[in-house]
Amino acid sequence: MPVLKRFHCAQSVTLRTASSLSSTNPPQMLRDRFHLPKDKIYLCGNSLGPQPVAAAEQLAAEMKSWKVRAVEGWWNGESSEGGWLGYHRRVEETLGRIVGARAAEVTIANALTVNLHLMLVSFFRPEGRRRKVIMEAGAFPSDQHAIISQLKFHGLDPATDLIEIGPRQGEFSIQTEDITKAIHDAGDELALVLWSGIHYYTGQFFELEAIAKAGKSVGAAVGFDLAHAVGNVPLSLHDWGCDFAVWCSYKYLNGGPGAPGGLFVHERHHNNEDLPRFAGWWGHRESDRFMMRREFRPEPNASGWQISTAPVLGLAPLLASLPLFDEAGGMKALRTRSLKLTGRLHELLNDLPELTIITPMDEAQRGAQISVYVPGDRPELEHQLSEAGLIVDYRQDNLLGGDGGVLRLAPAPLYATMEEVDRAVEILSGILKS
């Protein structure tokens, strides 16, 4: 287990300054647009975002259309945008702004790991010496499952063809220079770089632009899992030049449990019909989809990687959630507010001697999540905190090698307040002392 370090800032922020910090809340804060658990502080949007107030109305509109129109709902609807046929396109403009891409480069479909496998069909093409994959050590298990199964599918050995980069001895974060060095060392043996935007466990926000640049410089494909980054931190997928990205929509995008996932494919690939992919009817170009031809001609955009019919009822809550990001001023404005929330949370948590913060102290290397190591076997901790009025996420340690667990606290800037940050630390301190 790494040596558990404690970092102290030169000047601590006390609870008495809460009112002055609260005045920094921007007028665009949209807390009242969400249903939040009654009488509890919700710092668990990194696991499941709360329900947007408008989600029920949006879903009800599609239920009504289904009720009164049945199959004709596909081309006739309540809104001026028509029926369900192009339903997924209604989110693409806003989604593009959230991830820093053009609307044609993003779409909503399937679920995160399904989309990851579909992207790997197109972009993991091992051949000759070029067959290795680089990813972060301790990545979310679904990414590990996907990569290992893909390597085996291609007849490769994960023991030799999967390179995992972890923190240096005694550290929790992975140094960018170690990542880029590993990429350059692999050179022409490297087929794919798959990296997370934010590490789900430690909360580290990786330098994705540098990783993409290094990967492309050695001729490898580059893809990102943005499950914990989308709607959390500003992204620039188009400008960074990665080949693809995938994400879920139920965390910071507040799309609801099991909401459809999202994917990005850089526009340089859109017109390459020779690029291998698993094809499906919904990915066929809409202009002649209903001609029902055997020949597959994909949409010349990210939608060409769709397979099955867009899940309209699953998509509906996103039409309530995604516009709130524009209303809040976009990702840059939300990032400014997020840094104030996590900066305060970091300082207050740092004053609790029972805890060790494992999220980087450098604000540029973290998103809305602060992770803390709690020593000792405390499987009841999450329930105790909930009973005391604080909903957070607790996981038994499986990465650090200790006997304790990790609490993940995420004050999402769309709805969390400075007062809640203060109160959350008070509750946590009281539970730990008891």
Side-chain angles (χ1 to χ4, degrees):
M1 179 180 179
V3 176
L4 296 179
K5 303 177 182 179
R6 293 194 54 77
F7 301 99
H8 287 274
C9 300
Q11 184 175 3
S12 177
V13 178
T14 67
L15 295 179
R16 289 190 296 274
T17 64
S19 60
S20 63
L21 279 173
S22 298
S23 66
T24 63
N25 291 346
Q28 298 95 331
M29 183 190 171
L30 302 171
R31 181 181 176 84
D32 62 348
R33 306 295 185 86
F34 291 93
H35 292 296
L36 293 161
K38 186 177 180 181
D39 299 326
K40 293 192 178 184
I41 297 167
Y42 194 72
L43 301 187
C44 211
N46 59 311
S47 184
L48 178 67
Q51 182 185 128
V53 171
E57 182 181 352
Q58 189 66 52
L59 185 56
E62 306 313 333
M63 293 291 287
K64 178 182 177 182
S65 187
W66 179 21
K67 176 181 178 180
V68 302
R69 295 182 178 87
V71 71
E72 291 184 335
W74 283 106
W75 50 89
N76 292 313
E78 298 292 324
S79 74
S80 59
E81 297 178 84
W84 302 321
L85 190 60
Y87 203 77
H88 59 277
R89 290 198 297 272
R90 301 187 196 181
V91 304
E92 291 173 351
E93 288 282 350
T94 305
L95 198 55
R97 288 190 288 274
I98 290 173
V99 301
R102 296 171 182 176
E105 293 177 312
V106 299
T107 196
I108 292 287
N110 312 304
L112 186 155
T113 308
V114 174
N115 286 335
L116 177 55
H117 276 295
L118 296 178
M119 294 295 99
L120 293 176
V121 167
S122 293
F123 298 106
F124 179 47
R125 310 297 302 167
E127 184 177 3
R129 284 172 51 85
R130 193 178 291 279
R131 63 187 192 182
K132 296 184 183 295
V133 177
I134 280 181
M135 67 189 302
E136 76 270 23
F140 196 84
S142 61
D143 285 359
Q144 298 182 61
H145 300 333
I147 285 296
I148 290 172
S149 64
Q150 286 276 340
L151 285 166
K152 291 180 177 179
F153 174 79
H154 287 283
L156 303 176
D157 184 358
T160 56
D161 295 317
L162 176 59
I163 303 169
E164 296 178 281
I165 311 302
R168 298 174 183 178
Q169 183 67 33
E171 297 181 357
F172 302 115
S173 301
I174 305 173
Q175 300 293 328
T176 302
E177 62 184 277
D178 293 345
I179 302 169
T180 56
K181 182 180 184 301
I183 290 171
H184 289 296
D185 287 348
D188 63 1
E189 293 185 339
L190 188 62
L192 172 70
V193 177
L194 177 68
W195 210 268
S196 295
I198 289 181
H199 196 285
Y200 83 99
Y201 198 72
T202 67
Q204 181 182 2
F205 179 20
F206 294 105
E207 295 184 61
L208 300 180
E209 182 176 14
I211 294 170
K213 181 179 179 181
K216 300 310 294 180
S217 74
V218 300
V222 177
F224 296 136
D225 177 348
L226 304 176
H228 287 82
V230 67
N232 178 359
V233 291
L235 304 165
S236 299
L237 296 184
H238 176 85
D239 291 342
W240 292 341
C242 59
D243 295 287
F244 71 90
V246 293
W247 57 85
C248 54
S249 301
Y250 48 80
K251 300 181 188 296
Y252 295 100
L253 294 185
N254 312 299
L263 61 90
F264 161 90
V265 178
H266 199 281
E267 66 177 4
R268 63 175 173 269
H269 301 296
H270 290 180
N271 292 306
N272 183 5
E273 294 189 11
D274 294 328
L275 192 66
R277 73 180 85 193
F278 283 166
W281 189 58
W282 211 254
H284 191 285
R285 62 190 183 191
E286 191 175 320
S287 60
D288 61 352
R289 182 185 299 160
F290 285 88
M291 297 296 291
M292 317 301 277
R293 292 169 177 160
R294 180 182 179 186
E295 179 190 24
F296 177 73
R297 300 300 303 275
E299 283 273 20
N301 50 46
S303 297
W305 274 265
Q306 291 180 321
I307 289 183
S308 299
T309 308
V312 171
L313 300 182
L315 274 168
L318 281 172
L319 291 180
S321 172
L322 295 186
L324 299 180
F325 287 84
D326 285 335
E327 194 171 337
M331 290 307 303
K332 185 177 180 179
L334 285 170
R335 176 64 167 167
T336 297
R337 184 164 192 277
S338 181
L339 290 176
K340 293 174 181 175
L341 290 165
T342 56
R344 179 162 180 75
L345 179 60
H346 192 285
E347 288 185 287
L348 295 176
L349 289 172
N350 201 50
D351 287 335
L352 300 185
E354 303 91 342
L355 305 177
T356 300
I357 299 174
I358 65 173
T359 304
M361 184 167 58
D362 178 6
E363 65 178 23
Q365 295 185 58
R366 65 174 185 255
Q369 172 186 320
I370 302 291
S371 297
V372 293
Y373 178 81
V374 185
D377 183 18
R378 303 194 62 160
E380 78 293 346
L381 182 57
E382 186 174 314
H383 176 71
Q384 289 177 330
L385 291 170
S386 179
E387 288 291 303
L390 174 61
I391 300 178
V392 292
D393 175 286
Y394 178 75
R395 293 288 181 269
Q396 290 294 116
D397 175 35
N398 63 347
L399 289 181
L400 305 181
D403 62 351
V406 168
L407 276 174
R408 303 185 298 170
L409 303 94
L414 272 176
Y415 48 83
T417 69
M418 291 290 186
E419 290 86 353
E420 286 183 315
V421 167
D422 292 342
R423 180 59 185 144
V425 177
E426 287 181 343
I427 292 172
L428 177 57
S429 177
I431 292 294
L432 292 174
K433 290 177 181 177
S434 67

